[in-house]
Amino acid sequence: MIIGNKNFEKHTHIMGILNVTPDSFSDGGKYNNTDNAIRYAHHMITDGADIIDIGGESTRPGYTQISDEEEIERVCTVIEKIKNNFDIPVSIDTYKPYVAQQAIKSGADLINDIWGLKFDYKMADMAAKYKKPVCIMHNRKNPVYKDFINDVISDLDESIRLALNAGLTKDMIMVDPGVGFAKSYEQNIIITNNLEKLHALDVPLLLGTSRKSMIGITLDLPVEERLEGTLATTVFAVLKDCLFVRVHDIKENKRIITMSEKLLGKI
C-alpha cells in the first residue's frame, strides 16, 4: 500500500498518534501547541514511527463535536510544518470532508475516518478527487449485532464499496476493526482475537488499541499505565498480519514488533 511517497509492504508498521487537542483521553493538551506538536513528531520519528496520524478533535467516549473551522485551525499548520521538516507520510484523523480537504491541501497523505466514510458520504468522493488512500474504521450508531464478527465484516464491506464506487482502488484502502467504538468490552476482546477473519475483505488491516479501555478494564489500570497491555495487543497484530498498529508509545512498540517478527521468521 502506497501512502505519500512510501510503499508499505507486508509487515507491521507503526502509525504514531499525535493529538493536537485539549481533551484527548490519554494525552489531552500536551501537543495542542504547534511547537510542542512538531517536537513530539520529531521524537516519534526518531523512535521509529512510519506515519504520523494527526487528530484535531477528540473521539474519546462522550466527545463533543467541534466546528470544521476549529478542527482545521488545529491540524493544518501542524501538518504543513511536519511535511516541510520531515520525510514521513501524514494521515488526518477526521470524519469531515471539508477538514479532510484542507488537511490534504496542507500535505496530508491519508484520510483516517472513524466513521468508515459513512458520517458524511461526501468523504469518499473527497478521497477519490484527491486520489488519497483511506483507513476505514468500523463504527455504527446502533451497537446492536445479530452475528457480531460477520456484522463487523459486513459493515466494513459496505464502507469499502463506498470507496470503490467513488473511484478509489482497492490498493488505496485499509480497514480498522474499531476497538473501543460501538462495542462492549467483551466484543472488543473478541474482535482483537479474531483479526484474521477481517482478511476476508482483502485489504490491509490496522489495529488501534493503544491505552484503550479494553486494556484498562482487563488490567484494572489507569490510562498512563497501559503500556504492557498495549504491547500484548501489538503482538496479536503481528501474529495476525496487520499492516499497521496505531499507538502512542513508539519505541516500545517498535521493539516488540521487531522481536515478534524475528521469532516468526518475518525478518
Short mmCIF file of all heavy atoms in Angstrom, two decimals, residues 211-245:
data_model
loop_
_atom_site.label_atom_id
_atom_site.label_comp_id
_atom_site.label_asym_id
_atom_site.label_seq_id
_atom_site.Cartn_x
_atom_site.Cartn_y
_atom_site.Cartn_z
N ARG A 211 -3.62 2.07 24.80
CA ARG A 211 -4.08 2.66 26.05
C ARG A 211 -5.61 2.65 26.21
O ARG A 211 -6.15 3.36 27.07
CB ARG A 211 -3.57 4.10 26.20
CG ARG A 211 -2.06 4.25 26.13
CD ARG A 211 -1.66 5.71 26.30
NE ARG A 211 -0.21 5.90 26.13
CZ ARG A 211 0.37 7.10 26.12
NH1 ARG A 211 -0.35 8.20 26.26
NH2 ARG A 211 1.67 7.20 25.97
N LYS A 212 -6.32 1.87 25.41
CA LYS A 212 -7.78 1.95 25.43
C LYS A 212 -8.39 1.23 26.63
O LYS A 212 -7.73 0.48 27.35
CB LYS A 212 -8.35 1.41 24.11
CG LYS A 212 -8.14 2.39 22.95
CD LYS A 212 -8.84 1.95 21.68
CE LYS A 212 -8.69 3.00 20.59
NZ LYS A 212 -9.33 2.57 19.33
N SER A 213 -9.70 1.45 26.81
CA SER A 213 -10.39 0.95 27.99
C SER A 213 -10.39 -0.57 28.05
O SER A 213 -10.44 -1.14 29.14
CB SER A 213 -11.83 1.48 28.03
OG SER A 213 -12.56 1.02 26.91
N MET A 214 -10.35 -1.26 26.91
CA MET A 214 -10.26 -2.72 26.93
C MET A 214 -9.06 -3.16 27.76
O MET A 214 -9.15 -4.12 28.54
CB MET A 214 -10.12 -3.23 25.49
CG MET A 214 -9.90 -4.73 25.38
SD MET A 214 -9.66 -5.30 23.68
CE MET A 214 -7.96 -4.81 23.39
N ILE A 215 -7.95 -2.46 27.63
CA ILE A 215 -6.75 -2.77 28.39
C ILE A 215 -6.92 -2.33 29.84
O ILE A 215 -6.57 -3.06 30.78
CB ILE A 215 -5.53 -2.09 27.74
CG1 ILE A 215 -5.30 -2.67 26.34
CG2 ILE A 215 -4.28 -2.23 28.61
CD1 ILE A 215 -4.40 -1.84 25.45
N GLY A 216 -7.47 -1.13 30.03
CA GLY A 216 -7.67 -0.63 31.39
C GLY A 216 -8.57 -1.52 32.22
O GLY A 216 -8.30 -1.77 33.40
N ILE A 217 -9.64 -2.03 31.60
CA ILE A 217 -10.57 -2.90 32.32
C ILE A 217 -9.91 -4.25 32.64
O ILE A 217 -10.01 -4.76 33.75
CB ILE A 217 -11.86 -3.10 31.50
CG1 ILE A 217 -12.64 -1.77 31.41
CG2 ILE A 217 -12.73 -4.20 32.11
CD1 ILE A 217 -13.77 -1.80 30.40
N THR A 218 -9.22 -4.80 31.65
CA THR A 218 -8.59 -6.11 31.85
C THR A 218 -7.56 -6.07 32.97
O THR A 218 -7.51 -6.96 33.83
CB THR A 218 -7.92 -6.57 30.55
OG1 THR A 218 -8.90 -6.66 29.51
CG2 THR A 218 -7.26 -7.93 30.73
N LEU A 219 -6.75 -5.03 32.97
CA LEU A 219 -5.64 -4.94 33.93
C LEU A 219 -5.96 -4.09 35.14
O LEU A 219 -5.16 -3.99 36.07
CB LEU A 219 -4.40 -4.38 33.23
CG LEU A 219 -3.88 -5.18 32.03
CD1 LEU A 219 -2.68 -4.48 31.41
CD2 LEU A 219 -3.53 -6.60 32.43
N ASP A 220 -7.14 -3.46 35.13
CA ASP A 220 -7.55 -2.55 36.20
C ASP A 220 -6.48 -1.47 36.42
O ASP A 220 -5.98 -1.27 37.53
CB ASP A 220 -7.81 -3.32 37.50
CG ASP A 220 -8.47 -2.45 38.58
OD1 ASP A 220 -9.11 -1.44 38.21
OD2 ASP A 220 -8.34 -2.77 39.77
N LEU A 221 -6.17 -0.78 35.33
CA LEU A 221 -5.11 0.23 35.36
C LEU A 221 -5.58 1.54 34.72
O LEU A 221 -6.36 1.52 33.76
CB LEU A 221 -3.87 -0.27 34.60
CG LEU A 221 -3.08 -1.40 35.25
CD1 LEU A 221 -2.00 -1.89 34.30
CD2 LEU A 221 -2.46 -0.93 36.57
N PRO A 222 -5.07 2.66 35.21
CA PRO A 222 -5.38 3.95 34.59
C PRO A 222 -4.68 4.09 33.25
O PRO A 222 -3.75 3.32 32.92
CB PRO A 222 -4.86 4.97 35.60
CG PRO A 222 -3.75 4.26 36.30
CD PRO A 222 -4.18 2.82 36.38
N VAL A 223 -5.07 5.08 32.50
CA VAL A 223 -4.60 5.22 31.11
C VAL A 223 -3.09 5.33 31.01
O VAL A 223 -2.47 4.80 30.08
CB VAL A 223 -5.30 6.42 30.43
CG1 VAL A 223 -4.89 7.74 31.06
CG2 VAL A 223 -5.03 6.43 28.94
N GLU A 224 -2.45 5.95 31.98
CA GLU A 224 -0.99 6.16 31.90
C GLU A 224 -0.20 4.89 32.24
O GLU A 224 1.03 4.89 32.13
CB GLU A 224 -0.56 7.31 32.82
CG GLU A 224 -0.73 7.07 34.30
CD GLU A 224 -2.12 7.45 34.82
OE1 GLU A 224 -3.03 7.68 33.98
OE2 GLU A 224 -2.29 7.50 36.05
N GLU A 225 -0.88 3.80 32.63
CA GLU A 225 -0.17 2.56 32.98
C GLU A 225 -0.57 1.39 32.08
O GLU A 225 -0.51 0.23 32.50
CB GLU A 225 -0.45 2.20 34.45
CG GLU A 225 0.14 3.21 35.45
CD GLU A 225 -0.05 2.77 36.88
OE1 GLU A 225 -0.06 1.55 37.13
OE2 GLU A 225 -0.20 3.65 37.75
N ARG A 226 -0.92 1.67 30.85
CA ARG A 226 -1.43 0.63 29.96
C ARG A 226 -0.46 0.22 28.86
O ARG A 226 -0.85 -0.38 27.86
CB ARG A 226 -2.76 1.09 29.35
CG ARG A 226 -3.85 1.31 30.39
CD ARG A 226 -5.13 1.85 29.79
NE ARG A 226 -6.11 2.19 30.82
CZ ARG A 226 -7.26 2.82 30.60
NH1 ARG A 226 -7.58 3.17 29.35
NH2 ARG A 226 -8.08 3.09 31.59
N LEU A 227 0.82 0.52 29.04
CA LEU A 227 1.80 0.20 28.00
C LEU A 227 1.91 -1.30 27.78
O LEU A 227 1.84 -1.78 26.63
CB LEU A 227 3.17 0.78 28.37
CG LEU A 227 4.33 0.37 27.46
CD1 LEU A 227 4.08 0.78 26.02
CD2 LEU A 227 5.64 0.95 27.97
N GLU A 228 2.09 -2.07 28.85
CA GLU A 228 2.29 -3.51 28.68
C GLU A 228 1.07 -4.17 28.03
O GLU A 228 1.21 -5.05 27.17
CB GLU A 228 2.57 -4.18 30.03
CG GLU A 228 3.85 -3.70 30.70
CD GLU A 228 3.64 -2.50 31.62
OE1 GLU A 228 2.55 -1.87 31.57
OE2 GLU A 228 4.56 -2.19 32.41
N GLY A 229 -0.11 -3.74 28.42
CA GLY A 229 -1.32 -4.26 27.80
C GLY A 229 -1.38 -3.93 26.32
O GLY A 229 -1.77 -4.76 25.48
N THR A 230 -0.98 -2.70 25.98
CA THR A 230 -0.93 -2.31 24.57
C THR A 230 0.05 -3.18 23.81
O THR A 230 -0.24 -3.64 22.69
CB THR A 230 -0.52 -0.83 24.45
OG1 THR A 230 -1.48 -0.01 25.11
CG2 THR A 230 -0.42 -0.42 22.99
N LEU A 231 1.20 -3.44 24.40
CA LEU A 231 2.21 -4.26 23.72
C LEU A 231 1.71 -5.68 23.45
O LEU A 231 2.02 -6.28 22.41
CB LEU A 231 3.50 -4.31 24.54
CG LEU A 231 4.23 -2.96 24.70
CD1 LEU A 231 5.42 -3.12 25.65
CD2 LEU A 231 4.68 -2.42 23.36
N ALA A 232 0.92 -6.21 24.37
CA ALA A 232 0.33 -7.54 24.14
C ALA A 232 -0.56 -7.54 22.90
O ALA A 232 -0.53 -8.47 22.10
CB ALA A 232 -0.45 -7.99 25.37
N THR A 233 -1.34 -6.47 22.74
CA THR A 233 -2.21 -6.40 21.56
C THR A 233 -1.39 -6.19 20.29
O THR A 233 -1.78 -6.65 19.21
CB THR A 233 -3.26 -5.28 21.70
OG1 THR A 233 -2.62 -4.00 21.77
CG2 THR A 233 -4.11 -5.48 22.94
N THR A 234 -0.26 -5.50 20.41
CA THR A 234 0.61 -5.33 19.24
C THR A 234 1.17 -6.67 18.78
O THR A 234 1.30 -6.92 17.57
CB THR A 234 1.73 -4.33 19.56
OG1 THR A 234 1.15 -3.03 19.76
CG2 THR A 234 2.75 -4.23 18.43
N VAL A 235 1.50 -7.54 19.72
CA VAL A 235 1.94 -8.89 19.34
C VAL A 235 0.84 -9.60 18.56
O VAL A 235 1.10 -10.27 17.55
CB VAL A 235 2.37 -9.70 20.58
CG1 VAL A 235 2.64 -11.15 20.21
CG2 VAL A 235 3.60 -9.08 21.23
N PHE A 236 -0.40 -9.45 19.01
CA PHE A 236 -1.53 -10.04 18.27
C PHE A 236 -1.59 -9.47 16.85
O PHE A 236 -1.86 -10.20 15.89
CB PHE A 236 -2.84 -9.76 19.01
CG PHE A 236 -3.30 -10.90 19.86
CD1 PHE A 236 -2.57 -11.30 20.97
CD2 PHE A 236 -4.46 -11.60 19.56
CE1 PHE A 236 -2.98 -12.35 21.76
CE2 PHE A 236 -4.89 -12.66 20.35
CZ PHE A 236 -4.14 -13.04 21.45
N ALA A 237 -1.36 -8.17 16.72
CA ALA A 237 -1.38 -7.54 15.40
C ALA A 237 -0.33 -8.16 14.48
O ALA A 237 -0.58 -8.40 13.30
CB ALA A 237 -1.17 -6.04 15.52
N VAL A 238 0.85 -8.43 15.04
CA VAL A 238 1.92 -9.06 14.25
C VAL A 238 1.53 -10.49 13.88
O VAL A 238 1.65 -10.91 12.72
CB VAL A 238 3.25 -9.04 15.01
CG1 VAL A 238 4.31 -9.85 14.27
CG2 VAL A 238 3.73 -7.60 15.24
N LEU A 239 1.04 -11.23 14.87
CA LEU A 239 0.65 -12.62 14.63
C LEU A 239 -0.43 -12.73 13.56
O LEU A 239 -0.47 -13.70 12.80
CB LEU A 239 0.16 -13.25 15.94
CG LEU A 239 1.21 -13.57 17.00
CD1 LEU A 239 0.54 -13.92 18.32
CD2 LEU A 239 2.10 -14.73 16.54
N LYS A 240 -1.30 -11.74 13.51
CA LYS A 240 -2.46 -11.79 12.61
C LYS A 240 -2.29 -10.90 11.39
O LYS A 240 -3.24 -10.55 10.71
CB LYS A 240 -3.72 -11.46 13.40
CG LYS A 240 -4.00 -12.56 14.44
CD LYS A 240 -5.17 -12.25 15.37
CE LYS A 240 -5.28 -13.30 16.47
NZ LYS A 240 -6.20 -14.38 16.18
N ASP A 241 -1.02 -10.55 11.11
CA ASP A 241 -0.64 -9.90 9.85
C ASP A 241 -1.31 -8.55 9.61
O ASP A 241 -1.76 -8.25 8.50
CB ASP A 241 -0.92 -10.84 8.66
CG ASP A 241 -0.08 -12.10 8.69
OD1 ASP A 241 1.12 -11.98 8.99
OD2 ASP A 241 -0.62 -13.19 8.44
N CYS A 242 -1.36 -7.73 10.63
CA CYS A 242 -1.82 -6.35 10.45
C CYS A 242 -0.71 -5.53 9.80
O CYS A 242 0.47 -5.68 10.13
CB CYS A 242 -2.20 -5.72 11.78
SG CYS A 242 -3.69 -6.42 12.53
N LEU A 243 -1.07 -4.65 8.89
CA LEU A 243 -0.09 -3.80 8.24
C LEU A 243 0.35 -2.66 9.16
O LEU A 243 1.49 -2.23 9.10
CB LEU A 243 -0.66 -3.21 6.95
CG LEU A 243 0.30 -2.41 6.08
CD1 LEU A 243 1.43 -3.30 5.55
CD2 LEU A 243 -0.42 -1.73 4.92
N PHE A 244 -0.55 -2.20 10.04
CA PHE A 244 -0.24 -1.10 10.95
C PHE A 244 -0.78 -1.37 12.34
O PHE A 244 -1.82 -2.03 12.51
CB PHE A 244 -0.88 0.21 10.46
CG PHE A 244 -0.14 0.90 9.36
CD1 PHE A 244 -0.51 0.71 8.04
CD2 PHE A 244 0.93 1.74 9.63
CE1 PHE A 244 0.16 1.35 7.01
CE2 PHE A 244 1.61 2.39 8.62
CZ PHE A 244 1.23 2.19 7.31
N VAL A 245 -0.08 -0.81 13.33
CA VAL A 245 -0.68 -0.56 14.64
C VAL A 245 -0.64 0.95 14.85
O VAL A 245 0.33 1.62 14.49
CB VAL A 245 0.07 -1.28 15.79
CG1 VAL A 245 -0.20 -2.77 15.75
CG2 VAL A 245 1.56 -0.99 15.78
#
